[in-house]
Amino acid sequence: MIKTSPYSPIHVIGGGLAGSEAAWQIANAGVPVVLHEMRGVRGTDAHKTDGLAELVCSNSFRSDDATSNAVGVIHAEMRMAGSLIMACADKHQVPAGGALAVDRDGFSEAVTKAIHNHPSITVVREEVEGLPPKEWDLAIVATGPLTAPSLASAIQAETGADALAFFDAIAPIVYRDSIDMDICWYQSRYDKVGPGGTGKDYINCPLDQEQYNAFVDALIAGDTVGFKEWEGTPYFDGCLPIEVMAERGRETLRHGPMKPMGLTNAHNPTVKAYAVVQLRQDNALGSLYNMVGFQTKLKYGAQADIFRMIPGLGNAEFARLGGLHRNTYINSPTLLDSSLTLKSRPGLRFAGQITGCEGYVESASIGLLAGRFAAAERKGETASLPPATTALGSLLGHITGGHLVTDEEPGKRSFQPMNINFGLFPELEPGSIVKPEGVKRFRGKDKTIMKRQLIAKRALSDCAEWLGQPLPLPETAA
């Protein structure tokens, strides 16, 4: 039930991470919200429940290090901005080394409960088949990677541009008690301790060179889902299926998700593994582990056979095998203004993965911004954009101003989904990087680390100033 308000409600379409965060930000700004979610009336190919903010792929929000990791920085900025997604993630974290991973069911239940209990938010279970009607003068489309075909068609008709689509792949989940711990061992890479972790938060499966080569051969020869329906659809490079990576070169996996660096076999410390498969805790009970980086489009029968070739997984039982799901996003730099408003239709904003960001926290962060911008507009205020030096501002800049079509390459679209990374942040002022006193050799890696630390420190300081808040203590930000 929406409480009495002097403002008309803002409509949010989509109850994923971005839509839930947008609704929360709007409601906490004193403006009522109607959140429209079709699950409960119509399901999707990837979701299993009708809970809000259901995590479809990994249960990891990735690094929580706000001192030198761009993802950790955006975590910290979102916490400062009162993010519902981050608050629920923190309450339902599970051990994951230096990463923030969550119990996916507990997380979704917490978001759902918070949204339903907010007096200024009404949740309506229905499919919105087209663009919001004009009487919804302010609305946000946050339908994510699984936008219903009817709405996708309406977006295409409104923008005059093709909706781009690709397929994300989902990694399998293994029952912990089916993993052979006489072969595998617990260890985080480089023994790194993260939030709620011990430095032994991953299960590691070692492969020697012969085993690795046989595994790569099996992946390449494996039976995969056909491409006829979506031929020519590109994958996002940050979420390639494991077999596609194998096809790109025999050593690709050893320098990607199967890299052995920073790990020592507890059963045989003197022998270095040629490659390592890591599994990360997927639920609070510790009964489920997901195969890190093993998103796949292999058919189910092939998955079980091939993944049981991995030492320690010979008798693995799978709680969920991998799969594919559709992802649709718009050419945001040409279609949206700096406040995420569709240029052809004032009052209509887009948020989340449909705007061309990639990742849970990135999606939620754009929902956070869209919600704040829409609430400001409803209240007759000018939207306050985050500084470009912040993680929020740099990601917004990528979405609304990056990779435009050039005159030299007419018709070419270079805009692609992007995770937050330090490459999106503005450069530091000249002279910012200074060799520490007493250090003789200061080059390469050391300079890179200092650069990232300085960018992170600047981002948090500028974000705190933007929000009118004190800068969090380092241990709080991390």
Side-chain angles (χ1 to χ4, degrees):
M1 178 67 69
I2 294 180
K3 66 181 181 181
T4 303
S5 170
Y7 304 111
S8 300
I10 295 173
H11 293 262
V12 177
I13 304 172
L17 279 83
S20 297
E21 186 66 64
W24 187 257
Q25 294 290 326
I26 294 167
N28 283 347
V31 177
V33 185
V34 179
L35 178 61
H36 305 261
E37 170 52 52
M38 74 175 184
R39 284 178 298 118
V41 175
R42 172 178 174 169
T44 75
D45 293 333
H47 290 91
K48 303 299 183 185
T49 76
D50 61 2
L52 302 178
E54 178 185 343
L55 304 183
V56 172
C57 298
S58 168
N59 70 322
S60 175
F61 283 32
R62 311 191 326 275
S63 176
D64 204 42
D65 174 15
T67 65
S68 57
N69 187 287
V71 180
V73 174
I74 207 167
H75 285 182
E77 292 182 5
M78 291 173 68
R79 289 182 178 113
M80 282 192 276
S83 166
L84 172 66
I85 295 303
M86 290 306 302
C88 293
D90 289 337
K91 286 182 181 178
H92 293 276
Q93 70 177 33
V94 297
L100 173 61
V102 304
D103 179 317
R104 65 179 72 230
D105 292 334
F107 168 78
S108 175
E109 289 167 4
V111 174
T112 303
K113 182 178 179 180
I115 291 291
H116 278 278
N117 287 347
H118 199 295
S120 292
I121 301 176
T122 296
V123 178
V124 178
R125 296 285 180 169
E126 65 176 4
E127 180 182 355
V128 178
E129 296 185 348
L131 287 179
K134 292 295 177 67
E135 54 265 29
W136 298 1
D137 61 324
L138 290 184
I140 297 172
V141 175
T143 46
L146 299 173
T147 299
S150 58
L151 179 54
S153 297
I155 293 169
Q156 180 178 353
E158 171 67 28
T159 61
D162 294 332
L164 301 183
F166 65 96
F167 285 78
D168 277 343
I170 303 170
I173 294 178
V174 180
Y175 287 104
R176 160 64 183 82
D177 59 11
S178 70
I179 300 171
D180 187 349
M181 296 307 296
D182 288 333
I183 296 174
C184 305
W185 75 97
Y186 284 103
Q187 185 187 8
S188 300
R189 201 175 300 280
Y190 300 107
D191 301 305
K192 187 169 184 178
V193 177
T198 64
K200 296 182 178 181
D201 301 328
Y202 292 79
I203 293 177
N204 300 278
C205 309
L207 293 85
D208 60 26
Q209 186 170 2
E210 182 178 352
Q211 291 167 332
Y212 173 80
N213 284 326
F215 179 70
V216 170
D217 289 339
L219 284 176
I220 294 173
D223 194 9
T224 59
V225 175
F227 284 96
K228 185 175 181 181
E229 184 180 349
W230 50 81
E231 230 170 21
T233 300
Y235 287 107
F236 169 51
D237 276 346
C239 196
L240 287 175
I242 191 77
E243 62 278 3
V244 173
M245 285 189 273
E247 291 170 352
R248 292 192 171 187
R250 185 157 293 272
E251 293 295 292
T252 300
L253 295 177
R254 287 190 65 237
H255 296 280
M258 295 178 68
K259 60 178 178 283
M261 285 75 79
L263 298 167
T264 301
N265 190 336
H267 303 297
N268 196 357
T270 62
V271 177
K272 184 72 173 177
Y274 190 74
V276 174
V277 172
Q278 287 197 306
L279 294 95
R280 178 179 55 233
Q281 186 175 330
D282 199 78
N283 64 343
L285 294 175
S287 59
L288 300 175
Y289 275 72
N290 61 63
M291 301 178 68
V292 178
F294 268 57
Q295 54 276 354
T296 182
K297 61 182 178 65
L298 289 167
K299 290 186 176 179
Y300 284 171
Q303 286 184 49
D305 291 343
I306 294 172
F307 294 152
R308 288 186 181 124
M309 294 173 62
I310 298 168
L313 301 185
N315 296 311
E317 296 296 328
F318 298 92
R320 183 188 72 187
L321 287 165
L324 290 171
H325 68 88
R326 179 172 55 84
N327 193 340
T328 304
Y329 66 98
I330 62 175
N331 194 17
S332 293
T334 62
L335 299 176
L336 304 182
D337 70 12
S338 60
S339 72
L340 299 166
T341 300
L342 192 65
K343 294 175 183 177
S344 65
R345 184 171 161 182
L348 178 58
R349 286 180 169 82
F350 283 77
Q353 284 185 247
I354 197 170
T355 65
C357 61
E358 181 66 24
Y360 291 148
V361 293
E362 289 89 342
S363 178
S365 72
I366 298 303
L368 182 153
L369 292 175
R372 294 174 75 95
F373 297 159
E377 183 173 351
R378 173 63 82 216
K379 295 164 78 172
E381 302 168 356
T382 301
S384 173
L385 304 183
T389 51
T390 64
L392 291 169
S394 65
L395 185 60
L396 178 66
H398 166 73
I399 289 170
T400 61
H403 303 279
L404 290 170
V405 175
T406 65
D407 293 335
E408 291 76 19
E409 298 175 295
K412 181 178 179 180
R413 264 188 173 169
S414 60
F415 180 65
Q416 293 289 329
M418 182 70 74
N419 293 116
I420 186 67
N421 62 80
F422 282 121
L424 301 182
F425 290 71
E427 287 292 330
L428 294 166
E429 292 293 326
S432 297
I433 302 175
V434 180
K435 184 176 73 171
E437 188 176 348
V439 174
K440 293 183 178 179
R441 308 183 78 180
F442 186 64
R443 61 181 67 172
K445 183 179 179 181
D446 295 327
K447 282 188 175 181
T448 297
I449 292 173
M450 177 176 281
K451 178 181 179 180
R452 291 177 176 178
Q453 290 173 339
L454 291 171
I455 290 174
K457 183 178 179 180
R458 179 186 66 181
L460 295 179
S461 176
D462 289 354
C463 186
E465 182 178 353
W466 172 60
L467 293 169
Q469 297 181 6
L471 184 66
L473 297 174
E475 59 267 28
T476 302

